[in-house]
Amino acid sequence: MRNETLDIRGDYEKNGYVSPLDILTPSEAQRLRDDFERAEDAVSGDSQRLKLLYSYPDRLIPSFDALLRHPNVIAAVSPVLGPDLMVWSGALFVKEARSPKIVSWHQDLTYWGLDDAQEVTCWVALSEASEQSGCMRFVPGSHQNRIVPHVDTFDENNLLSRGQEIAVNVDEADTVAAALHAGQASIHHGHLFHASGPNQTNDRRIGAALRFIKPSMKHKNGARTLVALVSGQDEFGHFEIAPAPRGFLHEDDFALCRQDADRKKEILFEGA
Ligand SMILES: O=C(O)CCC(=O)C(=O)O
């Protein structure tokens, strides 16, 4: 793997992202995709469970919990956040083949209700994320901004919860495409301007967005949402630490995710 030759911390501080990083072999990525698609088939008749599966694959499928703790993932994130790492969310972003779904320009931390910016997303491609399939685009250096105003569009083709979009113009000429092969990843800052376009290919574009935080972070409203402690220690106790998944799509894990989704909904839709 060639990540050792990168200055992850230096590049991240300068640009607000690092891409591409080699994380999984193509066959490891394919195995995760297979597990996800097997789970999808198993819950396909139940829209509530399907939604929970997209939001919490890491709490419902043991191999996705293992992804959060993968040594290459930890090695990509710890140069930025340090050795104590929690994952606040591990949701999937899926764009079906030939799908018009997009993600508008936004900054991640806008609506998450967290009190600080000690957060890094590691976005792991489980299928080809090319410009044609709608990979992410970044505005290098834009993480130096604080949170800028966003407007909610609730556009049905937008994968974001509120269809939120930053209210300042982004010049395409200032952007870079973060194309990834299956098994590669990018990391990005919670204030970085980023977006992604439609999928114009014949395969699904599937990515796991792993949201790492430092344990010192907390919710401004005091909510103790569910996190996975994946490296080091939690000396703060601001969150509820999730147990390992009890099995593949275990009923008790669905119940835990349902509870957490309700807590998060209150935060994500505050003021909407
Ligand atoms: O998957 C995408 O296209 C966008 C994901 C995203 O915005 C994020 O991970 O913060």
Side-chain angles (χ1 to χ4, degrees):
M1 302 252 165
R2 44 158 220 111
N3 302 344
E4 291 77 32
T5 61
L6 294 172
D7 175 10
I8 291 181
R9 192 182 166 87
D11 288 357
Y12 183 88
E13 279 178 359
K14 177 164 172 257
N15 297 317
Y17 70 92
V18 185
S19 179
L21 295 159
D22 294 327
I23 301 292
L24 304 173
T25 64
S27 54
E28 285 171 330
Q30 183 63 45
R31 274 202 292 280
L32 281 164
R33 177 177 178 165
D34 291 345
D35 284 351
F36 163 58
E37 291 183 334
R38 187 158 59 91
E40 231 181 350
D41 283 348
V43 298
S44 63
D46 181 333
S47 60
Q48 196 208 38
R49 260 168 233 245
L50 194 59
K51 208 162 161 218
L52 289 170
L53 174 65
Y54 275 52
S55 301
Y56 295 91
D58 53 323
R59 309 281 27 97
L60 296 168
I61 307 177
S63 56
F64 278 75
D65 181 54
L67 175 65
L68 310 180
R69 304 161 202 275
H70 192 292
N72 292 341
V73 170
I74 302 297
V77 176
S78 53
V80 178
L81 290 183
D84 299 329
L85 297 171
M86 289 171 160
V87 174
W88 179 78
S89 168
L92 291 163
F93 280 80
V94 180
K95 290 180 187 162
E96 300 299 339
R98 302 267 154 213
S99 150
K101 300 276 181 195
I102 55 111
V103 170
S104 51
W105 289 103
H106 69 287
Q107 293 168 295
D108 289 335
L109 284 168
T110 308
Y111 292 122
W112 296 356
L114 293 166
D115 69 331
D116 200 355
Q118 301 298 322
E119 182 271 339
V120 171
T121 293
C122 181
W123 195 100
V124 184
L126 300 184
S127 66
E128 190 76 4
S130 60
E131 292 202 55
Q132 293 71 31
S133 69
C135 68
M136 279 192 286
R137 299 192 74 84
F138 299 136
V139 179
S142 56
H143 65 302
Q144 307 286 3
N145 289 282
R146 298 206 163 270
I147 298 290
V148 303
H150 285 60
V151 287
D152 298 338
T153 69
F154 290 103
D155 176 356
E156 62 172 42
N157 277 335
N158 196 325
L159 290 179
L160 297 179
S161 52
R162 302 161 64 135
Q164 63 265 31
E165 191 170 332
I166 56 179
V168 292
N169 264 341
V170 173
D171 185 344
E172 286 289 321
D174 296 335
T175 72
V176 296
L180 301 170
H181 297 302
Q184 290 187 314
S186 55
I187 57 169
H188 70 260
H189 190 287
H191 287 182
L192 188 76
F193 294 3
H194 62 291
S196 67
N199 181 1
Q200 298 167 306
T201 71
N202 291 327
D203 191 18
R204 314 175 88 185
R205 196 228 58 174
I206 306 172
L210 317 179
R211 317 296 191 177
F212 286 85
I213 58 171
K214 278 194 182 189
S216 56
M217 294 272 274
K218 57 179 182 301
H219 278 290
K220 287 185 264 190
N221 72 354
R224 289 167 51 80
T225 59
L226 195 64
V227 299
L229 178 62
V230 296
S231 171
Q233 309 291 326
D234 169 22
E235 286 172 3
F236 296 86
H238 293 157
F239 294 89
E240 183 183 334
I241 309 287
R246 279 157 267 224
F248 185 77
L249 303 182
H250 196 286
E251 207 37 58
D252 293 352
D253 292 326
F254 270 115
L256 201 61
C257 295
R258 210 170 286 124
Q259 234 176 38
D260 191 61
D262 288 343
R263 266 177 291 194
K264 284 221 177 94
K265 203 154 142 195
E266 247 176 65
I267 297 168
L268 294 173
F269 288 96
E270 198 195 323

